[in-house]
Each structure stands twice: as structure tokens, then as C-alpha cells.
Amino acid sequence: MSKITECYILNGEGSKKETRHIVFDLGDSGLDYKVGDALGVFGENPESTVDLLIETAGWDKDQLVTTQNGKKRLRDALKKDVEIHRVNKKYVNSLSQKISTDGMRITVKLIERYRESVAGNGSAWMGGDTPLEAELLPSIPGDDPTGRVESITADGKAMEDYIWSRDYIDVLRDFDVSYTAEEFIELADRLKPRLYSIASSHDAHPGFVELTVAIVRYSHHGRDRGGLCTVYMADEVEINKSDVGVFMSPTKSFVLPADTSTDIIMVGPGTGIAPFRAFMEQRVHDGGTGKNWLFFGDQSEKTEFYYKDTIEDWMDEGNLYRFTTAWSRDQEEKIYVQHRLKEHGAEVWEWFERGAYFYICGDKTYMAKDVHRALIEIAMEHGGMSLDDATFFIEKTMMREEKRYLRDVY
Ligand SMILES: Cc1cc2nc3c(=O)[nH]c(=O)nc-3n(C[C@H](O)[C@H](O)[C@H](O)COP(=O)(O)OP(=O)(O)OC[C@H]3O[C@@H](n4cnc5c(N)ncnc54)[C@H](O)[C@@H]3O)c2cc1C
Ligand SMILES: NC(=O)c1ccc[n+]([C@@H]2O[C@H](COP(=O)([O-])OP(=O)(O)OC[C@H]3O[C@@H](n4cnc5c(N)ncnc54)[C@H](OP(=O)(O)O)[C@@H]3O)[C@@H](O)[C@H]2O)c1
């Protein structure tokens, strides 16, 4: 158990994002870490959601239930042991066995959605030939609860669409179904910890571990909600008071070069900057001669220049040799880190030829793939390689054999 001692927003005023710097006190836990490691954090569901679920389902909050963590009061179990913020497929699939023939509280929403879809198709509906709702209802597929559950569960996309914006409270409001608390605990997912790339060096901050966290918030069906762990850290935890469950998740591969004279290039847009703040702190502490080049980017320089003062100090003191930014929304066209890498392709290639390590952290789905492609293009353009040779060099030589192209992507 750890305490959060600081949890402040890094974005400037007017930002569309909420990215926080969060500091955990490791106290006398004996936990240790190295740069590149991740911290596992056990979040908890918000009390307000737990209470609303208990009320909507008609359960007794003090009833005893058994979870993976033993026997406890229902309210505690719903707070700490199961994920209640997003409905899972298992629960939706179980609805068909629970539903009574007249059990769905549809009507208005379903009719509205039907109207939108008809209007979107440019059909006669737009011409003002509006059928009465009573005439419309029977023609809507799944307008009986059983039919609707079937239309959701029979089609993978319909299921994804249904669960995307809903939690169990929404489902209980959509369908007139009743589950005992024990049945619910059985169906709901166990609460899983989330991992965060550590943004500090233990040598620079003995006894503490620091994170850079993008808080996930959104609103659906008239209620504000968000990510389980990030909202917990941002809204629920009391500074220096709440006990927060954490563990270390050590890395074997995402490590600094053993030789401190080796140059490194770090690419970390958004929260991807986290491990590179840690790397920089460690490189400063270790005092080697290797040069450091950081590529960072996010939406706007004015609002997303995380750790600006620290970065400027590293530059002033000669610890950060190069710092290249990509502010994606400060101009008409998008500028991303891979564009900057390619602009500096000749120099990046020189660094590679001198044996530099290349690190990337952040979004796995788009950014990491685009940066990977940019590296292959740099090898072609500046190394004079064919596509096959460049791909081999980046993916086999640098990544697998020499292990100097390292990724922490999520
Ligand atoms: C190795 C590793 C390192 C990581 N490091 C970091 C880090 O340094 N910083 C960081 O911020 N994160 C990091 N992450 C991500 C982190 O682990 C969590 O996944 C993230 O914080 C979200 O957790 P959560 O519990 O708040 O959200 P969850 O409850 O897990 O919800 C997230 C999910 O919400 C859904 N969602 C998002 N927007 C909407 C919407 N508008 N409507 C409906 N659903 C939506 C998406 O399906 C998304 O996957 C890392 C992950 C890994 C694996
Ligand atoms: N796999 C995941 O679950 C995952 C991974 C990363 C982040 N996220 C979530 O995304 C939210 C914010 O994350 P974040 O703050 O780390 O930043 P981010 O959303 O990854 O954005 C950081 C910067 O990267 C830019 N970007 C977008 N697409 C890109 C691409 N293809 N190549 C290169 N750069 C690209 C963004 O530009 P624009 O926005 O202007 O396009 C922005 O300037 C959080 O909610 C986080 O949880 C989820």
C-alpha cells in the first residue's frame, strides 16, 4: 500500500486534455525500481457509481458476498473487487435468460434512434409522412426485449456498440431484469490493476515513484464517467491519506545502454514522455558522456508542454543535447514526431551509424507504427538501402540482434 503525495494537472489553461503528474510515496514498503520499469496500480470504483448500482439493482449494501478476495460487504466488493464501470459481454449474453416478455423500458430512445437512421437514409420520412409511433414500434427489429437482446448478442459489432457506452446501471435501466448480488459478482470482471511507465529515477527521488497519466473522461447517457484507474487517482484518492495498492512491474528489455557513453534517441509524444523523464534523470545522475536527443509532441505548445522547466534546465546544463518538438494542432496541417524524425533523417542516421540506441514510448495503435515506418524510410533515404534491406536493418539488426531499438508502447 502506498500514499499519493501529489497529483497535479500538467496541462495549461484551455487544454482539451487532462494529463497529471502523480507521485507515490513508497514509505517503508521496501519496493525498489529501475528506469524503464512500470508501476501497477489497483484502482477502485467511485462510491457514487457503487451506490447508484446498488440502488438501481435493489440490493442491500451490507449483504455479505464472496469475491476473489474473500467474504465482504457488498459495497466494499463493488468498490474494490469487480469492474463495474463498463458492462461486459458475459452479462449482456446472460440477459436473454433473465428477461420477461414485457420487460424493456424502450420507446422514446428507440423511436428517436429509428427516426435518425431513417432520416439519415434520406427516405420518405423526411418528406413529412410521419407514421404514428404506435405503427412504427412493431416494425423496429428487437422492439421486444428478447428480440433486442438477440439483435445485440447475435452480431459482434452490435455487441461492441452496445457495451461501448454503457455500464450495468444503463443496462438495468434499459431492461427490466433482476440479478442477485451473488449472480452479479459471478458475471462481472475481476478488477484488474493498470500499468504505468515510471517517470522518475529512484536515484533522483529515493522512496518515491512518479507517473505521467492521461485521465480518461467521457460522458454517455447523461452521466459523466471515465477510466477506472485514472479517475480513481484523479478524483477519489485523498492526498497523503488513502491507501493505494501498487506493485512494481520490472522490464527486462526497455533499459538504458549499459555503457553510459552511448548516445540515445527517445521518441515519446503525449504520456510517452514518462519513461524518458526517468531516463534523463538517470543519465544526469550517472554522469556519462553519451548524448541524449528527445522527440516530444502533443496537441499544443501552450497547453501540453509537459515538464517544460525541467527540459529547459537539462538543455541549459548540456544534459539534453537535442530537443525536437511536434505540436500537432498549432498549425493547419498535423505535425507528428515521425515528421520531425524524417526532417532530421540525415542526423538520425548518423547517430544510428555511431551505435545510438532508439527508444519509443506511447500509443501503440498508430504512433508507434508510423514511427517504425519513418525509421525504415530514413534507412532507405540516408543509408541508401532497398526497402527489404532497410526493413531488415531496422527490424532484425537494430531491434532483434543489437537490441538497440526498444519499445514501451500501449
Ligand atoms: C506497459 C504500459 C504502460 C503504460 N503507461 C502509461 C502511462 O505512462 N501513462 C498513461 O496515461 N497510461 C499508460 N498506460 C495505459 C494505462 O495502463 C491504462 O490503460 C489507462 O490509464 C486507462 O486506464 P483506466 O483504468 O483509467 O481506463 P479503463 O477503465 O481501462 O478504460 C479505458 C478504456 O475506456 C474506453 N474509452 C475511452 N474513451 C471512451 C469513450 N469516449 N466512450 C466509451 N469508452 C471509452 C476505451 O475502450 C479504453 O480502452 C500504460 C499501459 C501499459 C500496458
Ligand atoms: N492503446 C491505448 O489504449 C492508448 C494508447 C495511448 C493513449 N491512449 C489514450 O489516449 C489518451 C491520450 O493519450 P496521450 O496523452 O498519451 O496522447 P496521444 O493521444 O497519444 O497524443 C499525443 C500526440 O500524438 C499525436 N498523434 C496522434 N496520432 C498520431 C500518429 N499516428 N503518429 C504520431 N503522433 C500522433 C497527437 O496528435 P492529435 O491528437 O492532434 O492527432 C498528439 O499530438 C488517453 O486517454 C490515453 O489513455 C490509449
Side-chain angles (χ1 to χ4, degrees):
M1 287 294 173
S2 165
K3 302 243 191 292
I4 291 183
T5 59
E6 285 180 75
C7 180
Y8 57 85
I9 296 176
L10 292 164
N11 309 82
E13 219 173 300
S15 171
K16 296 182 190 74
K17 304 182 102 169
E18 180 182 335
T19 303
R20 287 175 178 255
H21 187 73
I22 306 181
V23 180
F24 291 76
D25 185 351
L26 295 174
D28 54 8
S29 67
L31 284 175
D32 191 12
Y33 63 92
K34 64 183 178 306
V35 296
D37 289 350
L39 183 76
V41 180
F42 285 92
E44 293 181 12
N45 291 297
E47 281 179 12
S48 55
T49 315
V50 171
D51 290 341
L52 189 57
L53 176 59
I54 291 174
E55 188 195 318
T56 312
W59 296 322
D60 169 5
K61 66 177 175 11
D62 295 319
Q63 150 179 16
L64 289 180
V65 289
T66 305
T67 73
Q68 70 274 16
N69 297 326
K71 207 169 205 175
K72 50 174 72 177
R73 284 168 67 236
L74 176 63
R75 194 168 186 274
D76 294 336
L78 295 180
K79 190 159 167 41
K80 295 183 179 174
D81 294 354
V82 287
E83 305 224 339
I84 65 167
H85 70 311
R86 289 166 68 86
V87 61
N88 69 13
K89 292 181 189 170
K90 204 160 129 194
Y91 183 88
V92 177
N93 279 320
S94 78
L95 285 172
S96 56
Q97 282 128 47
K98 283 281 177 183
I99 230 135
S100 62
T101 46
D102 61 348
M104 196 168 79
R105 296 165 185 155
I106 47 151
T107 61
V108 178
K109 261 201 241 158
L110 204 53
I111 289 166
E112 275 170 4
R113 230 174 290 147
Y114 184 73
R115 278 194 182 129
E116 279 162 16
S117 77
V118 173
N121 291 337
S123 78
W125 186 283
M126 298 292 280
D129 185 18
T130 312
L132 291 174
E133 286 179 0
E135 288 170 329
L136 174 65
L137 267 176
S139 71
I140 301 171
D143 66 342
D144 71 288
T146 316
R148 189 168 179 221
V149 169
E150 271 171 18
S151 68
I152 295 168
T153 53
D155 169 10
K157 174 152 189 332
M159 174 67 98
E160 292 297 339
D161 285 351
Y162 186 76
I163 65 173
W164 170 254
S165 64
R166 288 176 174 84
D167 63 9
Y168 296 96
I169 298 161
D170 299 308
V171 180
L172 290 171
R173 286 173 175 175
D174 270 355
F175 296 97
D176 196 4
V177 286
S178 173
Y179 288 81
T180 65
E182 289 86 353
E183 284 173 328
F184 178 79
I185 298 284
E186 191 64 33
L187 284 165
D189 294 330
R190 290 176 175 198
L191 193 143
K192 292 173 292 295
R194 274 42 168 181
L195 291 180
Y196 294 92
S197 310
I198 291 175
S200 53
S201 147
H202 210 179
D203 287 322
H205 307 267
F208 293 89
V209 58
E210 312 195 351
L211 307 179
T212 312
V213 178
I215 310 302
V216 180
R217 294 190 194 275
Y218 47 88
S219 182
H220 291 300
H221 311 290
R223 272 190 295 133
D224 290 339
R225 31 187 117 194
L228 190 150
C229 194
T230 54
V231 168
Y232 168 68
M233 291 189 280
D235 297 356
E236 300 287 309
V237 167
E238 287 186 62
I239 299 295
N240 288 318
K241 201 164 167 206
S242 310
D243 283 323
V244 182
V246 297
F247 62 94
M248 291 300 167
S249 175
T251 179
K252 282 203 190 96
S253 54
F254 199 74
V255 292
L256 281 170
D259 179 350
T260 54
S261 69
T262 306
D263 296 343
I264 64 171
I265 298 175
M266 301 162 278
V267 177
T271 53
I273 197 171
F276 303 135
R277 178 178 182 269
F279 277 19
M280 281 303 302
E281 288 185 346
Q282 195 64 46
R283 297 268 279 189
V284 172
H285 175 271
D286 294 348
T289 54
K291 285 191 274 192
N292 305 305
W293 186 353
L294 174 63
F295 286 81
F296 171 67
D298 210 315
Q299 294 185 357
S300 174
E301 177 171 13
K302 235 192 276 168
T303 47
E304 274 74 50
F305 198 160
Y306 312 142
Y307 308 119
K308 184 171 191 274
D309 293 347
T310 312
I311 289 171
E312 285 171 355
D313 286 349
W314 287 330
M315 288 176 74
D316 290 347
E317 286 153 20
N319 295 312
L320 189 56
Y321 179 79
R322 294 291 296 269
F323 177 56
T324 306
T325 54
W327 305 113
S328 56
R329 304 192 189 185
D330 278 353
Q331 62 285 309
E332 278 282 297
E333 78 285 6
K334 292 273 184 185
I335 296 179
Y336 290 152
V337 283
Q338 63 269 23
H339 302 134
R340 295 301 194 210
L341 270 169
K342 287 191 71 187
E343 278 168 30
H344 295 278
E347 202 178 346
V348 168
W349 185 250
E350 271 174 36
W351 282 51
F352 282 178
E353 288 198 311
R354 285 204 311 268
Y357 274 46
F358 184 87
Y359 297 90
I360 175 167
C361 179
D363 171 54
K364 178 173 156 180
T365 319
Y366 305 105
M367 187 274 296
K369 289 186 180 137
D370 291 347
V371 168
H372 185 81
R373 253 190 302 272
L375 292 184
I376 293 173
E377 284 164 16
I378 288 171
M380 288 168 73
E381 196 179 334
H382 301 282
M385 295 182 179
S386 66
L387 174 61
D388 283 352
D389 287 349
T391 308
F392 190 90
F393 176 74
I394 297 297
E395 293 179 1
K396 295 281 179 322
T397 312
M398 271 190 73
M399 203 175 207
R400 306 238 185 286
E401 283 164 27
E402 298 174 353
K403 295 188 174 31
R404 60 184 175 109
Y405 169 17
L406 302 167
R407 299 196 285 189
D408 173 20
V409 294
Y410 43 89

